[in-house]
Amino acid sequence: MKRTLYHLQLLTSALRTAGDAIESVALPWGILQNTGSLLSIGSFALFSHLPWVILPPLLGRALDRTAKKVRLAFLALILQSTLAVLIIPLSSNVTAFYLIVSGISALDILHRYYGFSLVASMTLDPSELQSLNAKLATVGNAVSLVAFPLAGFLSYHFGIRAMLLDAVLLLTGALALVPYLNVEVRGKSREPPLESSSGRVTIERRLVIGVLASVLLFNFALGSFRIFIFASLRKLSAGEFFYGLLQSLTTGGSLIAVVIIALLAKKSGVGLKRPLMAGMLLQSIALLIVGIPEVIALFPAVLILGFGGELLNVSFDSLMQRFISPESLGTARGLFDALATLVIPLSQLTFAWLIGRATWLNLPVGAFLLGVLALGTLAFTTRGLSLG
């Protein structure tokens, strides 16, 4: 049954990804055109990320405490579909627009955490976790590869009304789960991953602090990337379409990364630490490239960004699923996501403000240096630790 649910998760994730593409193009471009200010992009990031700062610990705990996890995923998709329709007539009301954006983002947490918990309940083997997560990411990236150019086209021609297609996709995903609403999803019991000779769990404080500090710093650096993209494209007459193309290229890089991880995991295992660090390094390099004052430079930048990001994301998911007990997996991931997400809108608001008061071409260099510092922090705090 878990395999059946996993295949349904592949389907609903594909539909959700297509909807995400429409949201991530139509919504920010809609508010940018209404206000004409880059700060509106930072505000959009703030309201779309704010639920991920406040709610993940609560929703993650709710997911941990119930075995009827399919119901929560179903509910999230239904409500998201409703909000996708509601935002169209209310898009001219800035306050209502931001509130609905927050609602859509909040509901997204339940669906994504459901898939995260489902994979963790299927196996304890690190290489199989990498393989399952890579397959899930592969489907999402393959859909994004087509969905983002389409989203750019639809947003350019129909504006905010493109959200109607998002609503249809979300509703379709919800209906696919109806026969399985009463199915229970429970995690497997596992041995504590780190134990001392006395049998007590040894908490690697250096690992926890190091990973958390490096991710917070890295997310602040990486959050600026979107602002740099909008700063380069806002004067183009078909900026929405080019933005969709760039998003598609980003997912192309992500798709290459997950295919490589899936192949390596199937053959000999790829480990967890090296992909994490490689992903951070590549994304830092992307920040440096985006500072080149030519629009054409955005294309290799987003390709590298996507490749490095998926190396990092898949390996980090596998790391948490492997070493955190199923009874607290959602709660732990929620706490971490809340902290890691907090810095992204702060970063985008900061860099949007700095662009108006400084030579913005110097700012990507600063963001690159912050990314390298975060990578160094991770390398230093995890030296000598085995991460699989």
Side-chain angles (χ1 to χ4, degrees), residues 54-376:
I54 300 173
L55 297 177
L58 300 176
L59 296 182
R61 182 170 177 79
L63 203 64
D64 288 336
R65 297 180 67 170
T66 179
K68 301 292 180 63
K69 295 178 172 62
V70 183
R71 291 185 179 181
L72 294 180
F74 170 81
L75 179 63
L77 292 169
I78 287 290
L79 292 177
Q80 281 178 302
S81 178
T82 302
L83 292 179
V85 174
L86 188 61
I87 201 171
I88 297 174
L90 297 176
S91 60
S92 59
N93 185 319
V94 175
T95 301
F97 178 88
Y98 285 136
L99 289 176
I100 294 175
V101 164
S102 292
I104 292 173
S105 182
L107 293 165
D108 206 27
I109 298 171
L110 279 177
H111 183 255
R112 294 190 182 186
Y113 277 26
Y114 160 67
F116 184 71
S117 298
L118 176 62
V119 171
S121 72
M122 294 174 66
T123 180
L124 305 181
D125 181 73
S127 63
E128 191 174 358
L129 280 173
Q130 286 278 62
S131 179
L132 290 170
N133 285 320
K135 289 176 182 177
L136 194 59
T138 298
V139 169
N141 287 314
V143 171
S144 294
L145 201 60
V146 177
F148 273 110
L150 179 61
F153 174 83
L154 292 174
S155 298
Y156 179 66
H157 287 281
F158 301 103
I160 197 72
R161 288 175 294 171
M163 290 294 291
L164 285 173
L165 179 57
D166 180 29
V168 172
L169 294 171
L170 290 166
L171 182 60
T172 302
L175 294 177
L177 295 177
V178 169
Y180 305 92
L181 294 180
N182 291 321
V183 174
E184 297 185 355
V185 176
R186 298 182 183 275
K188 294 182 177 180
S189 60
R190 64 188 67 184
E191 295 297 323
L194 298 170
E195 291 186 340
S196 64
S197 57
S198 62
R200 293 176 298 180
V201 176
T202 301
I203 301 176
E204 294 286 358
R205 182 177 298 176
R206 179 158 58 94
L207 174 63
V208 173
I209 295 175
V211 170
L212 183 59
S214 63
V215 168
L216 289 177
L217 181 59
F218 186 73
N219 277 13
F220 185 84
L222 196 64
S224 65
F225 192 90
R226 193 180 198 189
I227 295 298
F228 298 145
I229 292 290
F230 276 97
S232 296
L233 296 180
R234 61 176 169 172
K235 294 182 179 180
L236 297 180
S237 60
E240 301 96 327
F241 180 70
F242 279 101
Y243 184 71
L245 287 178
L246 291 173
Q247 291 289 82
S248 179
L249 192 57
T250 302
T251 59
S254 300
L255 185 58
I256 295 171
V258 293
V259 168
I260 290 175
I261 289 177
L263 291 175
L264 291 177
K266 184 177 181 180
K267 291 182 179 180
S268 58
V270 67
L272 300 176
K273 182 176 180 178
R274 285 177 294 178
L276 280 172
M277 299 186 68
M280 292 178 71
L281 176 60
L282 289 170
Q283 290 192 299
S284 297
I285 292 173
L287 283 170
L288 190 62
I289 297 174
V290 81
I292 298 175
E294 298 291 341
V295 173
I296 193 66
L298 298 179
F299 290 87
V302 298
L303 181 66
I304 294 172
L305 183 83
F307 185 90
E310 210 62 68
L311 286 179
L312 191 156
N313 293 335
V314 170
S315 297
F316 185 74
D317 282 351
S318 299
L319 182 71
M320 296 199 74
Q321 290 161 338
R322 175 66 180 89
F323 290 108
I324 298 178
S325 67
E327 294 79 13
S328 58
L329 182 60
T331 305
R333 181 60 189 258
L335 289 171
F336 191 91
D337 281 350
L339 292 173
T341 303
L342 175 63
V343 300
I344 296 177
L346 296 179
S347 169
Q348 295 190 0
L349 288 169
T350 299
F351 280 91
W353 181 80
L354 288 173
I355 285 176
R357 289 160 177 77
T359 302
W360 82 269
L361 296 178
N362 295 327
L363 296 176
V365 177
F368 164 76
L369 293 176
L370 288 177
V372 172
L373 179 59
L375 176 60

